[in-house]
Amino acid sequence: MVDRRGRRLILLAHCILNQNAVVQPLARARAALEGVLQACLEGGVGIVQLPCPEMAARGPERAPDDRRGYDTPAYRALCRELVAPLVAQVRAYERAGYTIVGLIGIGNSPSCGLDTTNEGGARPGRGVFMEELLDQLPELQGRYLEVPRRYGEDPEATTAFDEEVRRFCAARGSR
Ligand code: SF4
């Protein structure tokens, strides 16, 4: 039997695939960020959807909050709880010889930002959930992208990021 598995995977922030999880009024699409998704599919990577920590903590009708509101011991404990099965999944793939291409987070998010977050406005920094995730998967440091703030509003920024995702997927472990 032919094995068609590409053995390459990417981790995506939950709301890239499901904009219903995004706090009002920040959703950029009815369903998914289709350009990002399409670029991943074209790159031949399997998709592992991360959980949405804010949804788990406060539900779909939560009020907007910034990093100060989320950086609490209880929220960090929840993030670690959510991260644990994911880390186990990643380690199982790695042991079997699969490549984790990388991770895509959400710029300016108090939870899922990687290089930018929101604390009294946009600022450099990392979201709480991504801090906990990268603490457990340190090999992903430097192997990530984040969806820019203007994605979905500015056609140029949107197309440029989709292209960046294509290059990112092609750069690692493709056969
Ligand atoms: S917490 Fe993360 S996954 Fe959930 S809506 Fe915010 S950025 Fe998206």
Side-chain angles (χ1 to χ4, degrees):
M1 288 248 291
V2 180
D3 184 352
R4 294 198 168 88
R5 292 175 292 183
R7 297 174 185 267
R8 298 169 64 244
L9 297 137
I10 192 163
L11 311 182
L12 297 188
H14 181 95
C15 62
I16 292 173
L17 292 155
N18 176 24
Q19 287 284 291
N20 293 290
V22 175
V23 70
Q24 262 284 46
L26 299 180
R28 301 176 231 221
R30 282 199 310 175
L33 302 186
E34 292 176 21
V36 176
L37 190 51
Q38 189 61 35
C40 291
L41 295 176
E42 285 169 17
V45 294
I47 292 169
V48 176
Q49 183 182 25
L50 301 175
C52 174
E54 294 182 14
M55 169 79 192
R58 300 186 186 180
E61 302 301 328
R62 63 192 181 280
D65 201 353
D66 76 1
R67 196 179 184 290
R68 291 166 295 197
Y70 282 108
D71 192 6
T72 66
Y75 187 65
R76 282 191 178 274
L78 173 66
C79 289
R80 283 194 293 275
E81 205 178 293
L82 294 171
V83 155
L86 244 192
V87 173
Q89 200 182 144
V90 165
R91 296 294 177 233
Y93 277 124
E94 285 173 341
R95 279 196 301 276
Y98 289 61
T99 299
I100 305 299
V101 167
L103 161 70
I104 304 183
I106 307 292
N108 293 342
S109 162
S111 296
C112 297
L114 283 154
D115 287 334
T116 58
T117 189
N118 189 317
E119 195 169 287
R123 74 158 177 83
R126 186 157 289 171
V128 173
F129 178 73
M130 289 302 181
E131 276 184 355
E132 296 295 339
L133 180 69
L134 289 183
D135 200 43
Q136 298 296 313
L137 296 174
E139 69 271 28
L140 292 181
Q141 289 284 1
R143 273 163 57 193
Y144 60 72
L145 299 175
E146 60 175 19
V147 177
R149 187 180 55 79
R150 294 168 67 216
Y151 189 93
E153 285 172 20
D154 174 347
E156 245 173 65
T158 303
T159 305
F161 186 70
D162 292 343
E163 277 308 313
E164 200 178 347
V165 174
R166 273 191 192 86
R167 288 194 298 274
F168 184 76
C169 290
R172 289 170 178 82
S174 62
R175 313 191 265 187

